[in-house]
Amino acid sequence: MTKADIVSEISKSTGIEKVTVQKAVESFMDTVRESLISGQNVYLRGFGSFVTRKRAAKTARNISKNTTIVIPEHSIPAFKPSREFLDQVKNSNK
């Protein structure tokens, strides 16, 4: 499902114009992005959490130059679904 599909589904179910729904969805995504960039996690009860996770520094190989490089410690965004959400997805495949 794409962002356009989400906007269409919300628009159909609420009766709100697609332009307004698109602004709301983009505003939500911007807020989540800004929160994670500033180091704050976003918790949506019953849905899940958008969190930042630390990746440890590691050594890797550049195959084309046959050299070793060090990738420094860094943060990445991640989504952790709620237990309810996980159970619903697990039970939907039966």
Side-chain angles (χ1 to χ4, degrees), residues 29-73:
M29 292 180 348
D30 288 342
T31 302
V32 170
R33 183 181 301 118
E34 295 293 326
S35 295
L36 293 177
I37 289 170
S38 69
Q40 297 176 329
N41 295 332
V42 177
Y43 303 102
L44 302 172
R45 190 174 304 255
F47 184 71
S49 304
F50 294 94
V51 296
T52 55
R53 293 201 174 130
K54 293 262 186 216
R55 288 272 173 103
K58 63 182 177 181
T59 304
R61 302 231 3 115
N62 182 342
I63 300 171
S64 63
K65 295 181 180 179
N66 197 24
T67 58
T68 303
I69 57 173
V70 175
I71 299 172
E73 179 182 279

Side-chain angles (χ1 to χ4, degrees), residues 2 13 15 18-19 28 31 34 45 57 59 63 69 73 76-77 80 82 93:
T2 65
S13 66
K18 284 186 180 183
V19 174
F28 169 76
T31 302
E34 295 293 326
R45 190 174 304 255
T59 304
I63 300 171
I69 57 173
E73 179 182 279
I76 59 163
K80 181 181 176 189
S82 71
N93 294 330

